[in-house]
Amino acid sequence: MQRRIVLKRAGGMALSATLVPAALAQSDKTAFIISGFPAGGMGDQVARPMAEKLRGSYASSVVADSRVGAGGRIAVDFVRRAQADGMTILQIPSSPMTLYPNTYRKLSYDPPADFIPVTSTVKYSFVFTAGPGVPPEVKSIADYIKWVQAHPKEANYGVPAAGSALHFVGMLLDKHIGQRLTAVPYKGGAPLLNDVLGGQVPVSVSVLGEVMPYIRNGRLRGLAVSSPERSPFLPGVPTFSEQGFRDIVVQEWLGWFLPAKSPQERVQLLNKLVRDGLQDPALVESLAKNGLQPFHQSPEEFAQLMRGDLARWTPIVKASGFTAED
């Protein structure tokens, strides 16, 4: 468990070196960007503006749509079974593609075999967050450990979903502190946020963008961020690594995939258009408001990243003994 976990290499936007054939025109079909999570969430911050940018250059019509449920697995399976013509695009966080194959005994899909990685789009980190259920003098992980050791009945932390990467951050912290922490899984970030704000659960591991406004206005306290470096959106919150927990380095990505056997020309064109779209200052500013950083890679770089993340989770999950349940 002492291995360093890095789910994302820090770094900026990687430019694709592959040339897109000039003769490749937009399709006269409708393209769909399929997200595995509800409308209005983090995925919409990328999918909807990118749909506008792709319209008229990738396809005559581009629609952002959702197939919600099973932690994103319904969307993944839907795109897996779609026609491999480049018109059905999967937008999914890293966990369904790199963590779930290690936590579920059986999946309906095989990420490396069933999909072509197109590009990552954004990266984001997690925050270990304290609410009014924890005394105001608790301002760091060291403070929290002292408090929870003195109040073992309060050794609970909330996570948006059982078996998520956020859950594993909590499990890794549990290994360090000599005090058993109990995860309280919720069905999404919104109900978890409400209970942290209300003091029903003392701390949480949350997606940065969901708790950022409340940390900024003082209603919540960020005790640590999971990224390799401090977040530019919460520069006052130290990393786990800074506080002595060097193996708790977790940064997730949101990525785009096409079904296996989709035309390579479509892969390259989509990659180029996403790269161009992520350079729009207005979009960059909009993403920043939600704690998201643009992160573009070539298809080859993205495929390598996914393979590395998939392999990296294997010993972590095995050591934890955790198995996901439907």
Side-chain angles (χ1 to χ4, degrees):
M1 296 301 296
Q2 296 303 312
R3 292 184 60 178
R4 179 179 176 84
I5 308 166
V6 182
L7 294 190
K8 272 292 318 88
R9 292 186 182 87
M13 296 168 61
L15 300 182
S16 174
T18 306
L19 297 178
V20 178
L24 185 61
Q26 73 172 48
S27 172
D28 58 1
K29 298 180 180 179
T30 297
F32 293 88
I33 304 171
I34 304 296
S35 173
F37 297 91
M42 176 185 65
D44 265 9
Q45 310 306 319
V46 177
R48 295 195 181 278
M50 288 305 302
E52 293 295 326
K53 295 180 182 301
L54 295 177
R55 188 174 294 118
S57 54
Y58 187 75
S60 58
S61 178
V62 183
V63 177
D65 198 3
S66 299
R67 293 292 185 276
V68 180
R73 288 176 289 143
I74 289 176
V76 177
D77 196 53
F78 176 85
V79 176
R80 177 185 67 84
R81 293 182 283 106
Q83 185 175 352
D85 59 359
M87 294 296 106
T88 307
I89 304 161
L90 174 64
Q91 174 181 272
I92 204 75
S94 55
S95 289
M97 306 302 274
T98 64
L99 178 58
Y100 291 1
N102 288 297
T103 58
Y104 284 90
R105 289 192 176 96
K106 185 179 294 185
L107 284 175
S108 62
Y109 60 90
D110 178 356
D114 293 336
F115 296 93
I116 300 175
V118 177
T119 183
S120 53
T121 58
V122 296
K123 60 183 178 180
Y124 56 97
S125 56
F126 306 144
V127 188
F128 192 69
T129 307
V134 178
E137 59 267 22
V138 175
K139 298 179 180 179
S140 68
I141 297 295
D143 294 339
Y144 171 73
I145 291 173
K146 291 179 182 178
W147 177 79
V148 80
Q149 288 176 339
H151 302 84
K153 291 183 179 179
E154 302 297 325
N156 304 313
Y157 65 96
V159 291
S164 61
L166 300 101
H167 188 180
F168 277 92
V169 169
M171 285 192 275
L172 286 167
L173 182 61
D174 174 76
K175 296 292 183 181
H176 282 281
I177 68 175
Q179 171 65 52
R180 180 65 179 173
L181 300 178
T182 301
V184 181
Y186 284 73
K187 292 185 178 181
L192 170 59
L193 176 60
N194 287 336
D195 278 6
V196 177
L197 287 168
Q200 286 82 10
V201 62
V203 295
S204 70
V205 185
S206 298
V207 174
L208 184 145
E210 294 179 347
V211 296
M212 181 173 65
Y214 301 94
I215 293 175
R216 287 175 172 175
N217 67 22
R219 294 186 64 188
L220 297 175
R221 280 158 285 149
L223 305 186
V225 294
S226 67
S227 45
E229 303 88 20
R230 293 196 183 199
S231 168
F233 310 122
L234 292 174
V237 180
T239 65
F240 279 100
S241 183
E242 283 181 81
Q243 298 180 71
F245 305 94
R246 291 182 173 82
D247 59 332
I248 307 180
V249 182
V250 180
Q251 191 164 53
E252 286 222 314
W253 42 258
L254 192 67
W256 282 20
F257 298 83
L258 289 176
K261 300 182 181 179
S262 295
Q264 275 299 313
E265 292 84 357
R266 285 285 147 195
V267 174
Q268 300 300 337
L269 177 59
L270 185 57
N271 182 281
K272 175 186 180 300
L273 294 173
V274 171
R275 179 196 69 193
D276 295 345
L278 290 174
Q279 293 176 343
D280 179 1
L283 178 56
V284 173
E285 182 179 356
S286 175
L287 293 173
K289 292 178 181 178
N290 294 280
L292 304 173
Q293 295 176 266
F295 186 70
H296 172 272
Q297 294 178 300
S298 71
E300 297 77 18
E301 290 169 330
F302 187 39
Q304 182 178 3
L305 171 68
M306 192 179 77
R307 287 192 298 269
D309 289 350
L310 187 62
R312 198 169 289 122
W313 273 119
T314 302
I316 305 302
V317 174
K318 184 176 181 180
S320 74
F322 178 85
T323 300
E325 297 179 1
D326 287 315

